[in-house]
C-alpha cells in the first residue's frame, strides 16, 4: 500500500496553494494540487487541505459559493468516512459554510460563520499567536502538539470573526469545538484582533477529523520567516507554525 | 460625432478637405487629443483621410502615454547598462540578475508605473487597476509575480470631509482589494502627504517577478513568426477604458472628471488570479515543448496597441478580425473593440502547432468562460510578413496603415527653461528645542507609523516573505524555494525636497532607495523610476522634468546602478495649473546572497555603540523640522565618494558579523531613525533604548544609523559615534529623557484616524 495522499484543493480565487503544498511536503506529506476542473480525481485522495484565498471572489460571504462547488461534494463524503480535513483561512471559511465545522447541523446548512472583522470591518494582516485549548488527542490533527501549544501565524483576512446565534455559540463553547484561541507570545489570552466570538481562531468538529483555522501557520513556519526569533542559523529549516502541519501529516500517515 | 454612436467604422474622418480651425474643432468633438499637425501627418502617411478606427488608433498610439513624445529623448540620458542588467528598458519590464541556484541563473523582473489620473477620478478602481496593470507587465515576461509595492502621494487628509481624504482611503482600499485577492504580497511602498497633491494624487505601482534567465518570454513576435496566430486571452472586451491613453495625457481640469469616468477601467482581480495561474501553466507547457512565443500585456491602446507593438517590434505586420474578439456587449463599435482598454487581457503570438493546447489550458483546464462573462482565449488574427496593420470588422477593412508609422517614434521638441537650483541664504542653524520637537516630528504626517495603512495589505501570502513591509527600510523575500538567495525592494522620493529643487530631489530619491536596500544587507542591482511631473507644454514644468532626469542619471552613474525600467506621467497639475511637487519616484532592487544574514533594524542589546555612517551635513532644507519651524534652509549637498564609502562600511560591518541593526537616516532625521529602532525592538519584546549626544538630530542629510557589537573591528575614519544603547526603554538625547512607550504612542496615532 502506497503512502496516503493529500489533496490541496484549488478553487477559482484560491491563492495560497503553492506554499501550502510546499510546507506539507517539507513535513513529509505526499501533497498534490487538485484544480476545480479535476474534481473527478478527488475521491481517490486520503486527506484534504483547503488553503487560503478568495474562492469565488468571496461573493455573498467568504466561502459561501465554494461550499457548493463540486469539489466539496467529495470533501463532505470524505468527512463522513473519517478522512482528515484541514481548512486554513478561506479554506476554514469554506468548511464552516459547508457545515462540516462545528458540524452540529446537516451538511451545507452552516450553524456558524467566519464573517466581517469587527469593530473595523476591513482586511487585517498581522502577526499573531494562537494557543491550543483542546486536549491534543481530541483531534488526530492536533495529536502531536503538546498540550497548550502556542503556534505563531499570520492573520490575513477581512472575514475572520466567528459569529453564530447565541444557541449555536453555546453549542460551540460547550461542545469543545474551539480548538485555538488568540494569545500573546507568552501564551496569555488576548482579545481576538478580528472581534471573533469566544476569541476563537480555530474550530474543530465533534469527531475531530476536521479543523478550520483562520490564521495562516504556513506563513510563519520556516526560520527565514522569523529571523530575529532564532531563525538565522538555518533559515531554510521548518519551525513555528510547521508544528501543526507536521501533526496533520503524521495523523494522515496513521489514518 | 461620438465614436460610440458611429456605427460605420470604415467611415472616414475628413482631414484633408478641412482648414486648421475646423479640423481642430472636429477632432475635439470626436474626443481625440491629436493635434492638427499630427492629423495631417497621419493623412499624409496613409495617403488618404483616416477611418474612424484609424483616427482612434493613432490617437492612442501617438498619445503622450504611449509614445513618450515629449519625454523619450530626455530619458536616453539615464544609464541603462551594467553587469547586473539582463534586460534594460525595451519591453514591458526590465530584468536584473539575482544570482544562481542549482545550476540556474535567476532574474528579477521589475516594472514601475503610475495610475495617477484614474485614481484621482475613481480612487478605488483607479488604484486597483494600477496594480492589475503592473502585474501583467511582469507576468508577460514569463515570470511568476512575487511582490508589489505602492509609492503614494496624497493631499492633505487632516480634514475629515476633504476630497483628499476620500481619495487617500479609496486608493489604499483599491490596492488592498486587488493585491490581496490575486495573492501577491505587498512588500514595500511609501506615502507622503502634501498640499501639492490635493487635486492630483500620485499612485505609483511597482511589481517584481521571478524568472529563470533562459526562460524569459519576450514581448515581440519571435523570428520566423509570419503566419503565426495572434491569441487574445482574458476578459470580454467592453466599452470601459475607451480613450484611456489620451485621457491620461490630458490635465485633469481639461478632462472633466465626470465625462472621463468611462475612461477608467474596471478591475477584476478574481479573473486575474485565474489568468495568472493559467498563464503559469502555459509557460510550463511551452518550456516542456521548447516552443518560443511572444506574450504581451494589453494596456494603453487596447488590442490595437498591443498587437501592433508585438508585431512591429519583431519586424512584422499583423492582420486581425475584430469579429473574433470576445465582447461583453453586442454592437460595440469597431473603434471601441480595437482601442478600448478593458482590463485583464493579454495577447500571445503562437506557432500554430501550440495554439490548440494554449486554448485548452485557458478555456478548459482553467475554465475562463465560467470565471467571468464571456472571458476566454481565442485566435483573433495572425502575424504577417507585410509590414501593415490591418483590422477587419463585419466584412470591411476598417484599418489598413503602415505598421511602422503607427508604432514608430513620434517626437515633440518642446521648449523648456532650465530649473533654477535652490540657493537660499541663511546658513545659520536655529537652536532646536529637542524636547518640544521630537514628539511633533514623530507625529508629522510624513513620519508617523504607516501601519494603519499597510496592515490592510497582505504582506505574507506566498510564504516567501522574510521582512514584511514596515519591519525594515526595505522588504525582503526568499523567492526561490530551497535557496538562500534573497531579494530586497525599497522605494523613495521626497516631495518636500521636490517642491524646492527637482534635481536634488531626484538625486536623493536614488540615494535613499539604494540606502534602504543596503540597510537590510542587500547589494543594489537595479533601479526603476516613475517621473511624475506637470504639463510639458509649460516651459518651467518641462524644465523641472529635465532637471530630474539629469539628477537621476547623475546619481545612478555615481553609484554604479542602472535603470532597467520606468514610466513617465505628465500633466499632473492642480486646478490652478500648478505642477505637483516634482516627483521622481525611484524603486531599488537588491540581491542578498544569504537570507540568514539579512539585517533588521530593531535594537538588539544594551551597551552597543551607535554609529552614524555617512553624510552628516548640517543642512535642514527639505526636512520635516524645517517645515514644522517654517524656516528656509539650504539642502544638504551630496558627496558621492562619502556615500559609496558609507555603503561599503555597512557591508563590511555586516560581513564582519558586528552589525546588529541598521536604519537609514531620512524623514525626521537621525533621532527619528533611532526612535524607530527602539520601536522595532519593542515590537519584538525587547525593552531597549539609547543615550545620544548630538547637536542637530533632525537633519535629513542621509547615511545610516547602525548598532554594532564591536566598533573596534571596523575602520571608523569619518564615522561618528553618537551614543550607546540602554537596557531600559528610554531615549536620552543631550540629557533630555523620553520614554519609548510614550513616543511610540505618539508615532502610532496620526494615521490610524485616516485609516481606522
Amino acid at each position: 500500500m502506497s503512502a496516503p495522499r493529500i489533496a490541496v484543493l484549488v478553487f477559482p480565487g484560491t491563492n495560497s496553494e503553492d506554499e501550502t503544498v510546499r510546507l506539507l511536503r517539507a513535513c513529509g506529506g505526499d501533497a498534490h494540487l487538485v484544480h476545480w476542473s479535476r474534481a473527478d480525481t478527488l475521491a481517490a485522495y486520503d486527506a484534504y487541505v483547503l488553503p487560503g484565498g478568495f474562492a469565488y471572489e468571496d461573493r455573498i460571504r467568504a466561502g459561501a459559493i465554494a461550499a457548493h462547488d463540486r469539489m466539496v461534494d467529495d470533501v463532505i463524503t470524505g468527512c463522513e468516512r473519517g478522512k482528515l480535513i484541514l481548512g486554513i483561512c478561506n479554506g476554514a471559511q469554506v468548511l464552516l459554510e459547508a457545515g462540516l465545522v462545528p458540524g452540529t447541523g446537516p451538511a451545507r446548512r452552516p450553524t456558524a460563520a467566519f464573517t466581517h472583522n469587527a469593530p473595523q470591518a476591513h482586511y487585517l494582516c498581522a502577526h499573531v499567536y494562537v494557543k491550543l485549548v483542546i486536549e491534543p488527542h481530541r483531534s488526530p490533527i492536533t495529536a502531536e502538539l503538546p498540550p497548550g501549544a502556542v503556534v505563531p501565524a499570520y492573520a490575513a483576512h477581512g472575514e475572520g470573526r466567528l459569529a453564530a446565534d447565541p444557541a449555536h455559540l453555546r453549542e460551540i463553547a460547550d461542545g469543545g469545538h474551539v480548538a485555538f484561541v488568540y494569545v500573546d507570545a507568552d501564551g496569555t489570552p488576548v482579545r481576538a484582533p478580528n472581534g471573533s466570538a469566544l476569541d476563537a481562531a480555530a474550530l474543530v468538529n465533534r469527531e475531530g477529523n476536521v479543523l478550520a483555522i483562520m490564521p495562516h501557520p504556513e506563513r510563519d513556519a520556516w526560520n527565514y520567516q522569523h529571523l530575529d526569533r532564532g531563525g538565522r542559523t538555518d533559515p531554510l529549516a521548518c519551525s513555528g507554525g510547521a508544528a501543526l502541519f507536521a501533526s496533520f501529516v503524521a495523523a494522515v500517515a496513521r489514518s | 460625432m461620438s465614436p460610440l454612436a458611429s456605427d460605420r467604422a470604415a467611415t472616414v474622418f475628413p482631414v484633408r478637405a478641412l482648414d486648421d480651425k475646423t479640423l481642430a474643432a472636429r477632432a475635439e468633438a470626436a474626443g481625440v487629443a491629436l493635434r492638427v499637425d499630427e492629423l495631417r501627418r497621419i493623412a499624409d502617411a496613409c495617403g488618404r483621410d483616416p477611418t474612424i478606427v484609424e483616427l482612434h488608433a493613432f490617437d492612442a498610439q501617438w498619445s503622450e502615454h504611449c509614445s513618450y513624445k515629449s519625454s523619450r529623448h530626455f530619458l536616453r540620458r539615464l544609464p541603462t547598462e551594467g553587469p547586473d542588467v539582463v534586460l534594460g528598458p525595451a519591453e514591458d519590464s526590465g530584468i536584473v540578475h539575482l544570482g544562481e541556484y542549482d545550476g540556474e541563473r535567476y532574474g528579477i523582473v521589475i516594472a514601475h508605473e503610475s495610475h495617477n489620473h484614474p485614481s484621482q477620478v475613481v480612487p478605488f478602481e483607479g488604484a486597483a487597476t494600477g496594480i492589475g496593470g503592473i502585474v501583467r507587465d511582469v507576468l508577460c515576461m514569463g515570470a511568476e509575480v512575487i511582490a508589489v509595492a505602492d509609492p503614494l502621494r496624497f493631499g492633505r487628509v487632516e480634514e475629515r470631509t476633504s476630497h483628499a481624504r476620500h481619495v487617500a482611503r479609496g486608493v489604499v482600499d483599491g490596492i488592498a482589494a486587488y493585491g490581496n485577492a490575486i495573492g501577491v504580497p505587498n512588500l514595500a511602498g511609501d506615502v507622503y502627504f502634501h498640499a501639492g497633491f490635493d487635486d492630483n494624487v500620485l499612485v505609483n505601482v511597482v511589481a517584481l517577478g521571478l524568472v529563470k534567465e533562459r526562460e524569459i518570454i519576450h514581448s515581440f513576435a519571435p523570428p520566423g513568426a509570419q503566419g503565426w496566430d495572434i491569441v487574445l486571452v482574458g476578459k470580454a472586451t467592453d466599452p470601459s477604458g475607451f480613450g484611456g491613453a489620451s485621457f491620461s495625457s490630458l490635465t485633469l481640469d481639461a478632462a472633466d472628471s465626470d465625462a472621463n469616468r468611462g475612461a477608467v477601467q474596471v478591475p477584476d482581480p478574481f479573473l486575474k488570479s485565474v489568468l495568472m495561474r493559467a498563464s503559469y501553466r502555459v509557460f510550463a507547457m511551452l518550456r516542456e515543448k521548447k516552443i518560443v512565443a511572444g506574450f504581451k500585456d494589453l494596456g494603453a491602446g487596447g488590442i490595437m496597441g498591443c498587437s501592433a507593438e508585438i508585431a512591429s517590434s519583431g519586424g512584422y505586420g499583423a492582420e486581425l478580425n475584430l469579429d473574433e474578439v470576445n465582447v461583453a456587449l453586442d454592437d460595440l463599435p469597431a473603434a471601441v473593440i480595437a482601442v478600448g482598454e478593458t482590463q485583464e487581457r493579454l495577447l500571445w503570438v503562437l506557432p500554430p502547432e501550440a495554439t490548440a493546447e494554449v486554448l485548452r489550458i485557458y478555456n478548459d483546464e482553467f475554465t475562463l468562460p465560467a470565471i467571468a462573462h464571456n472571458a476566454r482565449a481565442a485566435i483573433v488574427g495572425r502575424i504577417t510578413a507585410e509590414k501593415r496593420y490591418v483590422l477587419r470588422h463585419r466584412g470591411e477593412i476598417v484599418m489598413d496603415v503602415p505598421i511602422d508609422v503607427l508604432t514608430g517614434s513620434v517626437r515633440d521638441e518642446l521648449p523648456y527653461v532650465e530649473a533654477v537650483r535652490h540657493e537660499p541664504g541663511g546658513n545659520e542653524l536655529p537652536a532646536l528645542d529637542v524636547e518640544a520637537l521630537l514628539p511633533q516630528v514623530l507625529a508629522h504626517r510624513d513620519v508617523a507609523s504607516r501601519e494603519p495603512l499597510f496592515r490592510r495589505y497582505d504582506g505574507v501570502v506566498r510564504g516567501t516573505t522574510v521582512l514584511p513591509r514596515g519591519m525594515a527600510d526595505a522588504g525582503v523575500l526568499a523567492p526561490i524555494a530551497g535557496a538562500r538567495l534573497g531579494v530586497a525592494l525599497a522605494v523613495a522620493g521626497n516631495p518636500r525636497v521636490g517642491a524646492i529643487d527637482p534635481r536634488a530631489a531626484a538625486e536623493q530619491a536614488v540615494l535613499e532607495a539604494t540606502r534602504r536596500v543596503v540597510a537590510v544587507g542587500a547589494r543594489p542591482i537595479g533601479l526603476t523610476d516613475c517621473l511624475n511631473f506637470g504639463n510639458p507644454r509649460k516651459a518651467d514644468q518641462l524644465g523641472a522634468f529635465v532637471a530630474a532626469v539629469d539628477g537621476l542619471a547623475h546619481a545612478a552613474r555615481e553609484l554604479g546602478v542602472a535603470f532597467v525600467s520606468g514610466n513617465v506621467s505628465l500633466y499632473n497639475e492642480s486646478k490652478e495649473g500648478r505642477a505637483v511637487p516634482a516627483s521622481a519616484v525611484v524603486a531599488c532592487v537588491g540581491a542578498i546572497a544569504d537570507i540568514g544574514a539579512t539585517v533588521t533594524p530593531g535594537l538588539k542589546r544594551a551597551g552597543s555603540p551607535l554609529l552614524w555612517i555617512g553624510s552628516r551635513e548640517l543642512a535642514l532644507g527639505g526636512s520635516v523640522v524645517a517645515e514644522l519651524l517654517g524656516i528656509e534652509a539650504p539642502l544638504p549637498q551630496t558627496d558621492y565618494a562619502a556615500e559609496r564609502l558609507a555603503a561599503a562600511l555597512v557591508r563590511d560591518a555586516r560581513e564582519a558579523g558586528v552589525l546588529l541593526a541598521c536604519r537609514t537616516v531620512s524623514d525626521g532625521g537621525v533621532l527619528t531613525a533611532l526612535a524607530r529602532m527602539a520601536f522595532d525592538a519593542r515590537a519584538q519584546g525587547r525593552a531597549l533604548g539609547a543615550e545620544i549626544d548630538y547637536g542637530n538630530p533632525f537633519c535629513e542629510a542621509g547615511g545610516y544609523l547602525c548598532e554594532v557589537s564591536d566598533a573596534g573591528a571596523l575602520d571608523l575614519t569619518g564615522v561618528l559615534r553618537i551614543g550607546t544603547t540602554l537596557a531600559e526603554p528610554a531615549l536620552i538625547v543631550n540629557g533630555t529623557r523620553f520614554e519609548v512607550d510614550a513616543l511610540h504612542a505618539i508615532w502610532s496615532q496620526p494615521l490610524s484616524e485616516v485609516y481606522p
Side-chain angles (χ1 to χ4, degrees):
Chain A
M1 185 181 154
S2 58
R5 297 199 311 153
I6 303 167
V8 175
L9 280 63
V10 182
F11 300 96
T14 295
N15 69 16
S16 303
E17 65 273 32
D18 291 340
E19 58 268 39
T20 302
V21 163
R22 185 155 73 96
L23 185 61
L24 286 166
R25 288 181 179 168
C27 293
D30 185 17
H32 303 268
L33 293 179
V34 177
H35 283 78
W36 64 94
S37 60
R38 300 306 313 278
D40 56 312
T41 65
L42 264 185
Y45 287 86
D46 303 293
Y48 302 119
V49 175
L50 286 70
F54 293 77
Y56 291 98
E57 218 174 355
D58 281 356
R59 285 174 214 150
I60 299 177
R61 193 167 56 216
I65 304 288
H68 293 269
D69 187 280
R70 157 79 182 81
M71 289 202 291
V72 175
D73 295 352
D74 285 301
V75 176
I76 292 170
T77 310
C79 174
E80 287 161 0
R81 293 182 185 165
K83 288 184 183 178
L84 299 179
I85 299 163
L86 173 63
I88 303 158
C89 197
N90 193 224
Q93 294 162 336
V94 175
L95 292 178
L96 262 66
E97 294 294 336
L100 299 182
V101 184
T104 49
R108 287 177 169 141
R109 299 290 298 275
T111 56
F114 286 125
T115 187
H116 294 281
N117 295 350
Q120 299 300 336
H122 62 70
Y123 186 95
L124 175 73
C125 181
H127 190 266
V128 298
Y129 292 91
V130 296
K131 182 176 179 174
L132 184 66
V133 290
I134 51 172
E135 193 276 314
H137 288 279
R138 156 89 172 73
S139 163
I141 297 170
T142 57
E144 304 266 310
L145 295 175
V150 173
V151 177
Y154 275 92
H157 55 249
E159 301 178 41
R161 174 175 58 92
L162 176 66
D165 62 46
H168 284 114
L169 263 188
R170 218 167 21 249
E171 193 175 63
I172 289 168
D174 296 348
H177 292 288
V178 177
F180 287 91
V181 297
Y182 292 93
V183 294
D184 65 15
D186 304 324
T188 310
V190 297
R191 296 311 311 270
N194 51 21
S196 190
L198 308 171
D199 296 312
L203 299 183
V204 65
N205 66 344
R206 183 169 39 222
E207 294 72 20
N209 63 322
V210 189
L211 182 75
I213 182 166
M214 277 311 300
H216 293 267
E218 80 280 10
R219 297 183 184 184
D220 192 355
W222 304 83
N223 274 336
Y224 66 77
Q225 291 167 331
H226 48 252
L227 287 179
D228 284 343
R229 281 183 281 121
R232 288 186 180 276
T233 45
D234 187 2
L236 301 180
C238 287
S239 55
L244 179 63
F245 274 56
S247 183
F248 173 77
V249 168
V252 173
R254 284 194 307 268
S255 66
Chain B
M1 172 170 48
S2 155
L4 292 162
S6 155
D7 196 41
R8 289 281 301 166
T11 307
V12 295
F13 181 84
V15 169
R16 298 198 289 189
L18 300 180
D19 63 62
D20 284 2
K21 199 175 155 207
T22 317
L23 182 55
R26 283 287 197 91
E28 195 184 339
V32 299
L34 288 165
R35 299 190 313 269
V36 165
D37 60 303
E38 291 172 326
L39 288 164
R40 299 214 184 280
R41 234 192 302 163
I42 292 163
D44 287 348
C46 295
R48 55 176 167 75
D49 286 332
T51 66
I52 295 295
V53 175
E54 288 164 349
L55 177 75
H56 286 281
F58 277 99
D59 185 43
Q61 216 47 40
W62 286 15
S63 69
E64 185 69 51
H65 190 71
C66 288
S67 71
Y68 287 62
K69 57 191 170 189
S70 56
S71 64
R72 189 181 291 279
H73 40 294
F74 298 113
L75 299 177
R76 294 206 183 94
R77 299 177 185 181
L78 297 173
T80 57
E81 288 172 4
D84 299 312
V85 177
V86 177
L87 181 68
E91 301 184 35
D92 290 31
S93 299
I95 306 179
V96 287
H97 175 62
L98 175 67
E100 288 183 36
Y101 171 67
D102 201 18
E104 284 286 352
R105 290 175 62 83
Y106 283 88
I108 294 295
V109 181
I110 180 163
H112 188 167
E113 278 191 355
S114 61
H115 235 215
N116 303 340
H117 291 149
S119 300
Q120 182 67 34
V121 177
V122 277
F124 182 96
E125 290 81 359
T129 51
I131 295 290
I134 203 72
V135 160
R136 286 195 303 278
D137 281 328
V138 165
L139 175 70
C140 73
M141 305 307 293
E144 214 176 321
V145 187
I146 59 172
V148 293
D150 60 340
L152 307 173
R153 306 291 178 265
F154 294 136
R156 288 166 297 183
V157 294
E158 287 81 359
E159 237 180 274
R160 275 171 188 283
T161 55
S162 69
H163 186 65
R165 183 185 277 209
H166 164 75
V167 172
R169 282 183 174 169
V171 163
V172 167
D173 286 344
I175 290 168
Y178 202 103
N180 296 353
I182 60 172
V184 175
N186 189 305
L187 189 65
D190 62 4
V191 56
Y192 286 93
F193 301 90
H194 191 288
F197 303 116
D198 278 355
D199 300 337
N200 192 317
V201 72
L202 302 186
V203 174
N204 285 194
V205 286
V206 178
L208 295 188
L210 178 73
V211 68
K212 289 179 184 169
E213 290 174 21
R214 62 191 175 90
E215 294 175 352
I216 293 166
I217 298 175
H218 292 283
S219 17
F220 52 78
Q226 61 268 23
W228 285 18
D229 292 325
I230 295 175
V231 171
L232 178 69
V233 183
K235 194 172 179 183
T237 296
D238 59 35
S240 71
F242 183 74
S246 43
F247 164 53
S248 60
S249 304
L250 296 169
T251 54
L252 279 173
D253 59 345
D256 171 70
S257 74
D258 276 334
N260 277 292
R261 261 173 236 269
V264 179
Q265 309 93 331
V266 180
D268 189 345
F270 172 61
L271 174 59
K272 174 65 72 49
S273 173
V274 175
L275 265 180
M276 283 167 61
R277 285 161 173 79
S279 297
Y280 297 154
R281 182 68 59 88
V282 172
F283 299 162
M285 183 275 292
L286 295 175
R287 277 196 298 272
E288 195 182 309
K289 297 189 172 173
K290 297 190 164 43
I291 291 169
V292 176
F295 194 29
K296 191 169 170 63
D297 151 51
L298 269 77
I303 294 169
M304 180 283 305
C306 181
S307 57
E309 283 172 20
I310 201 169
S312 76
S313 56
Y316 298 104
E319 194 172 321
L320 280 75
N321 185 350
L322 297 178
D323 300 321
E324 302 298 327
V325 172
N326 47 315
V327 290
L329 299 166
D330 290 337
D331 299 326
L332 278 185
V336 173
I337 302 173
V339 305
E341 295 173 12
T342 301
Q343 287 287 290
E344 327 305 0
R345 298 180 301 169
L346 294 141
L347 189 134
W348 283 98
V349 169
L350 293 166
E353 67 269 21
T355 303
E357 179 62 3
V358 171
L359 298 185
R360 190 199 65 76
I361 290 172
Y362 283 113
N363 295 337
D364 300 334
E365 192 175 340
F366 285 83
T367 67
L368 286 190
I371 300 299
H373 172 63
N374 210 19
R376 66 184 65 248
I379 302 170
V380 296
R382 63 190 175 87
I383 297 292
T384 59
E386 198 190 354
K387 294 176 77 171
R388 296 193 70 80
Y389 187 79
V390 180
L391 291 179
R392 292 172 192 277
H393 184 238
R394 295 181 181 166
E396 273 186 301
I397 290 178
V398 294
M399 176 163 184
D400 183 356
V401 300
I403 196 165
D404 291 339
V405 175
L406 180 65
T407 61
S409 67
V410 283
R411 177 166 168 166
D412 277 354
E413 295 271 7
L414 300 174
Y416 65 93
V417 291
E418 241 166 79
V420 180
R421 300 307 307 274
H422 179 66
E423 282 176 34
N427 265 339
E428 290 278 310
L429 270 178
L432 299 175
D433 177 355
V434 173
E435 187 167 9
L437 278 172
L438 180 56
Q440 289 182 54
V441 168
L442 291 176
H444 187 275
R445 56 178 195 270
D446 289 347
V447 175
S449 172
R450 271 53 191 145
E451 193 178 333
L453 183 152
F454 66 68
R455 72 184 172 193
R456 299 184 180 207
Y457 301 152
D458 192 340
V460 284
V461 62
R462 294 177 54 81
T464 55
T465 306
V466 176
L467 298 185
R469 177 137 176 215
M471 193 178 273
D473 288 323
V476 177
L477 293 179
I480 307 163
R484 285 180 172 242
L485 287 173
V487 57
L489 178 66
V491 300
N494 183 337
R496 295 189 311 275
V497 179
I500 298 172
D501 187 326
R503 178 178 168 130
E507 288 188 63
Q508 286 193 19
V510 174
L511 288 160
E512 183 56 25
T514 52
R515 274 183 209 128
R516 286 175 178 169
V517 155
V518 168
V520 296
R523 182 177 69 84
I525 55 172
L527 299 168
T528 64
D529 61 298
C530 187
L531 291 149
N532 307 271
F533 284 80
N535 184 343
R537 297 185 179 276
K538 296 180 181 172
D540 59 328
Q541 297 192 12
L542 184 58
F545 170 84
V546 176
V549 173
D550 286 338
L552 293 179
H554 180 66
R557 283 205 174 83
E558 288 283 348
L559 298 180
V561 193
F563 281 96
V564 295
S565 182
N567 175 248
V568 174
S569 170
L570 300 176
Y571 301 97
N572 294 290
E573 288 187 297
S574 70
K575 284 178 184 139
E576 295 79 33
R578 265 179 292 111
V580 295
S583 295
V585 175
V586 172
C588 182
V589 183
I592 294 176
D594 177 5
I595 48 171
T598 302
V599 180
T600 53
L603 297 176
K604 298 295 186 303
R605 58 174 88 143
S608 315
L610 287 166
L611 307 178
W612 188 352
I613 300 174
S615 173
R616 292 185 306 281
E617 202 198 338
L618 301 179
L620 283 175
S623 69
V624 167
V625 103
E627 190 187 283
L628 287 171
L629 297 174
I631 56 173
E632 201 190 348
L635 291 169
Q637 298 298 301
T638 300
D639 176 345
Y640 283 96
E643 187 69 31
R644 288 188 292 266
L645 262 177
L649 192 53
V650 171
R651 181 198 63 211
D652 292 349
R654 175 174 51 80
E655 289 178 353
V658 300
L659 184 60
L660 296 176
C662 180
R663 262 203 188 273
T664 70
V665 176
S666 66
D667 302 287
V670 72
L671 191 46
T672 295
L674 178 62
R676 295 192 57 188
M677 291 168 80
F679 300 159
D680 296 329
R682 182 183 181 278
Q684 298 189 330
R686 294 190 300 277
L688 295 170
E691 176 158 19
I692 69 164
D693 193 5
Y694 189 67
N696 185 19
F698 299 112
C699 160
E700 299 175 14
Y704 306 85
L705 180 60
C706 300
E707 179 193 9
V708 296
S709 56
D710 176 10
L714 304 167
D715 173 8
L716 296 180
T717 315
V719 171
L720 183 73
R721 178 171 172 167
I722 62 164
T724 307
T725 58
L726 295 176
E728 54 175 334
L731 299 184
I732 300 170
V733 185
N734 306 337
T736 304
R737 183 185 170 99
F738 301 91
E739 301 304 325
V740 169
D741 284 352
L743 293 177
H744 183 265
I746 289 165
W747 176 73
S748 301
Q749 200 277 329
L751 286 196
S752 64
E753 202 216 321
V754 184
Y755 300 98

